[in-house]
Amino acid sequence: MVVYHRVTQEELYRFAYEVFRAAGASEAAAKAIAYNLTQGELHGMGSHGVSRLMPVYVERLRNGGTNPDPQIKVLQRRKSTAIVDGDGGAGAQVALFAMGVAIDIAREEGTGWVAVRNSSHFGAAFITAREALKHDMIGVATTASIPLQPPYGGRARALGTNPLCWCIPGGKQGDVIFDMATTVVAKGKLLLAIMEGKPIPEGWALDEEGRPTTDPVAADKGVMLPLGGPKGYGLAMIAEIFSSILTGAEFGPRINNLYGDTSLPQKLGHFLGAIDVAAFMPPERFRARMDELIEFLRSIPLAPGHKEILIPGELERRKAEEYSREGIPIAEDVVASHNKIAADLGVRPLQTQPPH
Amino acid sequence: MVVYHRVTQEELYRFAYEVFRAAGASEAAAKAIAYNLTQGELHGMGSHGVSRLMPVYVERLRNGGTNPDPQIKVLQRRKSTAIVDGDGGAGAQVALFAMGVAIDIAREEGTGWVAVRNSSHFGAAFITAREALKHDMIGVATTASIPLQPPYGGRARALGTNPLCWCIPGGKQGDVIFDMATTVVAKGKLLLAIMEGKPIPEGWALDEEGRPTTDPVAADKGVMLPLGGPKGYGLAMIAEIFSSILTGAEFGPRINNLYGDTSLPQKLGHFLGAIDVAAFMPPERFRARMDELIEFLRSIPLAPGHKEILIPGELERRKAEEYSREGIPIAEDVVASHNKIAADLGVRPLQTQPPH
C-alpha cells in the first residue's frame, strides 16, 4: 500500500522552486515551473505535478534539452493573432508568457489567439488557460504531445493524447474548467494499473499487434485508444493541427520525447486563446447566465448508481480546497526520491508531515 | 427493405428551392435553405438533408415559427468579434450570413468570432463552417440544440447533441472536415434502429428511468448518452456555453423544439469562427504541412479488422463524389411524402430515376 506524506502548498512551491533554480533555471523559469507543478499537484493531478514531472524537468534543464533562461519572443503580430517562439524553454514558462500575450491582445481586439512554437511539455493545460479567468475572459488551450494514440483504425503511435481545454468564468456556482485528453483515459491510469498489478478495462488500449488488451504491460508497449473511436481521433487531429501545423512547430514523431534524449529540445507547439466576455455582454450578466445553466444542470434527476451531477473542474477544485487545508499528499517513495535529487543539488529537503 | 430512387443534385436543389419559395420563404431564404439541405443529402446525411428536414422546415415557415424573410443584423461589432441577430430566420440562412461576417472580420483582424442569437436549426454544422475554406481560412462552428442528453450522472434531458465542427484547408490530400455530435451517436441512428426493428448496443442511451437499454423504443423516451461519459458531457456544455450563454440566446429546455409548436421561434444560438491561415503562415506552406501530417497518418499500419486510415470528412466526401456521378439516393416513401407536400404547394414533383 502506498503511504502518503502531507505537505503545504507553500513548502511544495519552495522546494520545487529551489530545486529548479539549483538545476540552472533562471528566476523567472523556476517560478513558472514551480507554480505550474505545485498547482497540478494541489488539484490532485500528481501525473501533472511535482510527483511525476520534477525529476524529468530537472534532467532536461541539466542536460540542455530545456533552455534554462529562454528569450521568449513575439515573432509576429497581426491584429487578433500572434506567434510566440519559446526558444526551447520550459512549457510552463513559455505557455504562461504566451497566454499573457493572448490576454493582452483580447483586451484590445475582443479575442487573442497565440500560436506557440519551440516550447516543451507544459503540464496540465488548465493551469495555463485559466489565467484568462482573472480578466473576465474565456481561456482556451491545446497542445501537441509525444505520440501515444493511433489514428482510428491504426495500431501504431501517431498522435499525442493532445488535450483540449476551455476555462469559462462563472458566478456563484464557480468557474467551469474543462481539460480533457483525447484518449479514453490518460496514460497515467495505465501506469497506475501496472504499479498496482491490476488489469485494465477493454477499450483503453491495444497491444503492439493492434489487438484489444486488458494487460496494462502489453498496453504500455502498444497504443492508447482515442475517445469514442473516430471522434477522439478527430479531436486529437484538430489539436495537432492547431498546435503543430499552424504554429510551425514539429508534429507527431518529430516531437522529441519528454523522457527520450533529454539533451534535445522537444520542439513542441501549443495554441492558446483568450476571449473577452465583455466583447459579447457585460461580464456580470454572463456570470449570472452561467449560474442559471449550472443550477439547471444540477437540478437534473440522477441516473441509478450516481450520487451527484458534477460541473467540469469541480472535483479538482474540491481536491484543491481539501489539500489547501489538510496539506497535499505525496507518496512516501516520491518524497524520498525527490529529496535525493534535492540533496544532489544542495537543496533543503521537502518538509512533510509524515502519515500518522 | 427500403427502395431508393436517384435524383441529381440540381433537381433536388430545384425541388427544395421551389418548395421553400411556395411555403413563403424569400428568395434569399429559399436559396440558403435549399443549398444547405441539398448539400447535407449529397454528403450522405439524409438526417441533415432534404429527406428528414424539408417537411418540418416547411411547416415552420407556414406556421410562423420560422421568419420567411428575416432582417438579419450585425448588432454589435468589436474588432475581432460580432453579435448577429437572426430575427427568427431559418438557421441555414442566418448561419450562412453570420459565417460571412466572421470571414470578413478574419480578413481584417486575422480571426473573426460571431455569436448568433434568434436563429434556428442550421442543418449540418460543416456546411456553414466550410465556407471559410474558400478563403484559405479555418472554419469553426458550434450550435446548441434541443435537449437530448443528460449531464453525466443524470437521467433527464438537459443539453442538445451540440455538435463541434472544425474545417481545415488541406493540400493535395484534401481538406479536413470534422463535425461531431457530443453524444455517443446521433439521434438519427436510434430512429433508424426503431425503423429496422433492431436492438441498439448498450452505451448509446438510457431509458426513462435512467437504466442502460438496448431497446431503441425505450431509448427514444429516455436520453442519449454523452460521448465517453464526463468528456462528452463537458464538450456538450462548452458548446452550450458558447452557443447559448455567450450569445444571449436561450439554453437547454428554453429552446423551442424543432418538432414542437411550429408557430414558435426556436430562439437558438450558434457560435461561429474563421481563422485566417495567412495570419500565421503562407497558406501554401500550411497546405503542404497538412499534406505531410495526413500522409504520415495514412502510413500508420492497420489494426486487425480495419481496412484503411480515414481522414475526418473523407467518407462524406467520397459519398458526395459518388452521388454527384450516380445521383443522390432518396428513399421511395420519402419521395412520395415529399411530392405530396409539393403538390399541396403547387410545386412540380421531384424528378427521380426509379430503382432498376
Side-chain angles (χ1 to χ4, degrees):
Chain A
M1 210 192 79
V2 185
V3 169
Y4 290 93
H5 290 226
R6 294 269 178 173
V7 58
T8 67
Q9 191 181 334
E10 295 69 28
E11 167 62 6
L12 188 61
Y13 177 85
R14 189 278 308 163
F15 177 74
Y17 172 78
E18 289 182 7
V19 163
F20 290 122
R21 278 295 273 157
S26 70
E27 194 182 319
K31 276 185 179 168
I33 313 170
Y35 169 76
N36 185 298
L37 296 192
T38 304
Q39 287 294 313
E41 201 81 35
L42 178 70
H43 285 78
M45 301 166 80
S47 64
H48 289 72
V50 175
S51 287
R52 176 171 74 108
L53 293 170
M54 195 194 85
V56 69
Y57 282 12
V58 164
E59 215 183 308
R60 296 200 136 265
L61 282 164
R62 299 185 79 175
N63 293 343
T66 299
N67 185 342
D69 190 17
Q71 303 307 303
I72 308 170
K73 282 197 197 78
V74 179
L75 286 190
Q76 185 180 315
R77 165 91 198 267
R78 182 177 143 199
K79 302 278 180 77
S80 66
T81 69
I83 300 176
V84 162
D85 187 305
D87 195 25
Q93 185 187 10
V94 174
L96 194 66
F97 175 94
M99 195 68 204
V101 174
I103 291 165
D104 287 345
I105 294 176
R107 202 176 285 117
E108 289 171 35
E109 307 286 335
T111 68
W113 303 92
V114 177
V116 185
R117 62 172 74 142
N118 288 324
S119 186
S120 57
H121 192 273
F122 74 5
F126 83 91
I127 293 171
T128 296
R130 71 174 179 175
E131 285 294 308
L133 298 175
K134 300 173 189 166
H135 308 274
D136 283 332
M137 293 182 188
I138 294 171
V140 184
T142 186
T143 184
S145 49
I146 54 162
L148 278 173
Q149 65 176 314
Y152 179 69
R155 70 165 190 264
R157 298 175 179 190
L159 299 169
T161 52
N162 292 5
L164 296 170
C165 174
W166 290 269
C167 298
I168 320 270
K172 287 182 214 112
Q173 300 291 339
D175 303 323
V176 170
I177 308 253
F178 181 56
D179 181 355
M180 62 165 257
T182 51
T183 40
V184 175
V185 292
K187 180 86 183 205
K189 293 207 181 178
L190 193 75
L191 301 178
L192 193 67
I194 293 176
M195 271 169 51
E196 295 178 347
K198 287 182 185 164
I200 56 170
E202 194 162 314
W204 281 16
L206 303 177
D207 68 15
E208 269 181 301
E209 309 300 322
R211 292 170 306 208
T213 184
T214 57
D215 172 6
V217 176
D220 188 36
K221 294 180 192 137
V223 292
M224 303 301 291
L225 281 171
L227 170 71
K231 293 188 179 187
Y233 159 50
L235 290 171
M237 192 172 173
I238 296 301
E240 191 83 26
I241 290 168
F242 275 96
S243 304
S244 302
I245 306 301
L246 191 62
T247 55
E250 292 295 0
F251 73 85
R254 298 193 201 158
I255 298 164
N256 289 311
N257 194 326
L258 179 67
Y259 294 98
D261 183 338
T262 53
S263 72
L264 296 176
Q266 285 201 275
K267 300 190 173 171
L268 200 66
H270 325 299
F271 193 82
L272 309 175
I275 300 168
D276 189 1
V277 168
F280 298 95
M281 66 175 65
E284 319 76 67
R285 188 164 157 241
F286 180 79
R287 290 181 189 275
R289 284 174 65 85
M290 284 295 297
D291 276 345
E292 275 188 277
L293 174 64
I294 292 173
E295 282 157 17
F296 163 65
L297 292 171
R298 289 220 174 97
S299 77
I300 295 293
L302 294 173
H306 289 267
K307 287 197 186 122
E308 62 178 331
I309 306 285
L310 288 163
I311 302 307
E314 196 166 7
L315 273 187
E316 293 75 15
R317 181 161 46 230
R318 286 186 198 165
K319 280 252 164 87
E321 283 163 8
E322 181 200 328
Y323 294 173
S324 288
R325 280 194 316 270
E326 318 280 335
I328 304 170
I330 309 276
E332 190 163 60
D333 61 338
V334 170
V335 174
S337 66
H338 281 39
N339 275 334
K340 199 170 165 309
I341 294 169
D344 286 347
L345 290 163
V347 167
R348 185 157 53 93
L350 186 66
Q351 304 300 307
T352 66
Q353 181 118 41
H356 53 125
Chain B
M1 212 192 76
V2 185
V3 170
Y4 289 93
H5 290 226
R6 293 270 177 171
V7 58
T8 66
Q9 190 181 335
E10 294 71 25
E11 169 59 7
L12 188 62
Y13 177 85
R14 189 277 308 164
F15 177 74
Y17 172 77
E18 289 182 7
V19 164
F20 290 122
R21 278 296 272 157
S26 69
E27 194 184 319
K31 275 186 180 169
I33 313 171
Y35 169 77
N36 185 297
L37 295 192
T38 304
Q39 287 294 313
E41 202 80 36
L42 178 69
H43 285 78
M45 299 166 81
S47 64
H48 288 73
V50 175
S51 286
R52 173 169 77 107
L53 293 170
M54 197 194 82
V56 69
Y57 281 12
V58 164
E59 216 184 308
R60 298 201 134 262
L61 282 163
R62 298 185 80 176
N63 293 344
T66 300
N67 185 344
D69 190 19
Q71 304 305 304
I72 308 169
K73 282 195 196 80
V74 179
L75 287 191
Q76 184 181 317
R77 165 91 198 265
R78 180 175 145 201
K79 302 279 181 76
S80 65
T81 70
I83 299 175
V84 163
D85 187 304
D87 194 25
Q93 185 186 8
V94 175
L96 196 64
F97 175 94
M99 195 69 204
V101 175
I103 290 165
D104 287 345
I105 294 177
R107 202 177 283 118
E108 288 171 35
E109 306 286 334
T111 68
W113 303 92
V114 177
V116 185
R117 61 172 76 143
N118 288 324
S119 186
S120 56
H121 192 272
F122 74 4
F126 82 91
I127 294 171
T128 297
R130 71 174 179 176
E131 286 294 308
L133 298 175
K134 301 173 188 165
H135 307 275
D136 285 333
M137 292 180 188
I138 294 170
V140 184
T142 186
T143 184
S145 49
I146 54 162
L148 278 173
Q149 65 176 313
Y152 179 71
R155 71 166 189 265
R157 298 175 181 191
L159 299 169
T161 52
N162 292 6
L164 296 170
C165 174
W166 291 267
C167 297
I168 319 272
K172 289 185 212 110
Q173 300 291 339
D175 302 323
V176 170
I177 309 254
F178 181 56
D179 182 354
M180 62 165 257
T182 51
T183 41
V184 176
V185 293
K187 180 86 183 203
K189 294 207 180 178
L190 193 74
L191 301 178
L192 193 67
I194 293 177
M195 272 170 52
E196 294 179 345
K198 287 181 184 163
I200 56 169
E202 193 162 314
W204 281 17
L206 303 178
D207 68 15
E208 270 181 299
E209 309 301 321
R211 293 169 305 208
T213 182
T214 59
D215 172 5
V217 176
D220 188 35
K221 293 181 193 136
V223 293
M224 303 299 294
L225 282 171
L227 170 72
K231 292 187 180 189
Y233 158 50
L235 290 171
M237 190 171 175
I238 296 301
E240 192 83 26
I241 291 168
F242 275 96
S243 304
S244 302
I245 306 301
L246 191 61
T247 56
E250 291 295 1
F251 74 85
R254 299 193 200 158
I255 298 164
N256 288 310
N257 194 325
L258 179 66
Y259 294 98
D261 183 338
T262 54
S263 73
L264 297 176
Q266 284 201 274
K267 299 191 174 168
L268 200 66
H270 324 299
F271 193 82
L272 309 174
I275 299 167
D276 190 0
V277 168
F280 297 95
M281 67 175 65
E284 319 78 65
R285 189 166 155 238
F286 180 79
R287 289 182 189 275
R289 285 173 66 86
M290 283 297 295
D291 276 346
E292 275 188 278
L293 174 65
I294 292 173
E295 282 157 17
F296 163 65
L297 292 171
R298 288 220 174 96
S299 77
I300 295 293
L302 295 172
H306 289 267
K307 287 201 184 115
E308 60 179 331
I309 305 286
L310 288 162
I311 302 307
E314 195 165 9
L315 273 186
E316 293 76 16
R317 180 158 51 228
R318 285 185 198 166
K319 280 251 164 89
E321 283 164 6
E322 182 200 328
Y323 293 172
S324 288
R325 278 194 320 268
E326 318 279 337
I328 303 170
I330 309 275
E332 190 162 60
D333 61 336
V334 170
V335 174
S337 66
H338 281 40
N339 275 335
K340 197 168 166 312
I341 294 168
D344 286 348
L345 291 163
V347 168
R348 185 158 52 93
L350 185 66
Q351 304 299 305
T352 66
Q353 181 120 41
H356 54 125

